[in-house]
Amino acid sequence: MITMMRRGFLVLLLSLPLLAIAAAPLSPQQVVQETTSKLLQDLKANKEHYRNSPQAFYQAMDNILGPVVDADGISRSVMTVRYSRQASPAQMAKFQENFKQGLMQFYGNALLEYDNQDIKVLPMGVQRDPKRAEVKMEVTDNKGVVYPLSYTMVIKNNQWMMRNVIINGINVGKLFRDQFAEAMQKNGGNLDKVIDDWVEIIGKTREEHK
């Protein structure tokens, strides 16, 4: 009995370093790298199906990206304090849901055009803020043209999550903020109308920036 207890205690001691490693949060670079790899692997395996059924792709993207996208933080940033102060909890919840749907379609339509381009996550620079980081990537198309991407990552619930992305010089967060403010002006400050139409608004934005 004593021998079994000693063996059990020894196994526990030996496993503690492994448990510590497993419990350690991923770095912002690792989050981006692993999420990108999962997304591209899924796309490669199901591309023809997704082209015929984009909604299935949007759902797959949500399953993969959803856990690492700070949808609440991004949606509040897009709405800005000016309008989020006016929004009820129900309106914020609905906008967040519509925002996620629009975001998946915005990225999804671009990814469906992906054709085995080279995607590289660059080494991290100096991280001055322990709760905020920038992860840079490069996408090289089939003609050798390099497109830079930059993800803004923040710590939330003890894990790194995406708060914004800059694609080839286009700040997506700012672009969406401008679109939201413009839609509020066009609709006479009707918050419900803008929230209801948000997926369509993002669809038009995507077409304008092809």
Side-chain angles (χ1 to χ4, degrees):
M1 182 69 177
I2 298 297
T3 302
M4 291 178 62
M5 289 179 64
R6 285 175 177 171
R7 286 177 179 172
F9 186 61
L10 179 60
V11 170
L12 176 62
L13 287 176
L14 291 173
S15 67
L16 283 177
L18 297 178
L19 291 172
I21 293 172
L26 296 176
S27 71
Q29 186 184 35
Q30 288 172 322
V31 171
V32 172
Q33 181 72 68
E34 290 193 7
T35 304
T36 301
S37 296
K38 287 179 183 177
L39 194 59
L40 294 182
Q41 287 171 7
D42 181 75
L43 177 60
K44 185 177 181 180
N46 302 287
K47 191 168 186 178
E48 290 308 313
H49 170 59
Y50 289 155
R51 279 179 169 168
N52 295 322
S53 180
Q55 288 297 332
F57 184 41
Y58 303 150
Q59 183 58 56
M61 284 186 64
D62 191 25
N63 294 337
I64 296 171
L65 289 176
V68 298
V69 173
D70 181 13
D72 178 65
I74 300 174
S75 59
R76 288 181 182 278
S77 174
V78 167
M79 190 178 282
T80 70
V81 175
R82 177 183 178 185
Y83 299 115
S84 63
R85 282 177 178 171
Q86 305 172 22
S88 67
Q91 287 174 317
M92 285 302 305
K94 187 173 183 179
F95 180 63
Q96 183 174 325
E97 186 60 33
N98 287 355
F99 179 84
K100 282 181 65 177
Q101 184 181 344
L103 185 66
M104 295 310 159
Q105 291 187 20
F106 186 85
Y107 284 122
N109 291 336
L111 279 171
L112 285 175
E113 299 170 8
Y114 174 80
D115 189 24
N116 297 319
Q117 291 96 331
D118 181 49
I119 296 181
K120 179 169 60 176
V121 179
L122 303 180
M124 289 280 292
V126 177
Q127 184 182 336
R128 294 182 173 83
D129 187 341
K131 295 183 179 181
R132 195 177 186 90
E134 180 184 29
V135 178
K136 295 183 178 180
M137 292 177 62
E138 288 182 347
V139 179
T140 305
D141 68 13
N142 293 329
K143 296 180 180 179
V145 179
V146 178
Y147 297 93
L149 282 83
S150 175
Y151 291 94
T152 299
M153 308 292 290
V154 296
I155 282 285
K156 190 168 184 179
N157 299 325
N158 200 36
Q159 73 173 73
W160 286 100
M161 304 185 76
M162 187 189 81
R163 175 66 63 83
N164 191 25
V165 59
I166 299 174
I167 305 174
N168 200 30
I170 299 174
N171 186 318
V172 174
K174 183 180 184 303
L175 177 64
F176 287 175
R177 280 196 299 274
D178 292 344
Q179 291 294 319
F180 189 91
E182 183 180 335
M184 287 293 288
Q185 290 179 352
K186 285 183 177 179
N187 290 281
N190 188 332
L191 188 57
D192 284 322
K193 173 68 173 171
V194 175
I195 291 173
D196 290 341
D197 293 348
W198 185 250
V199 176
E200 183 181 344
I201 292 170
I202 292 303
K204 290 179 180 177
T205 302
R206 160 71 182 157
E207 291 299 317
E208 292 169 359
H209 289 83
K210 274 189 174 181

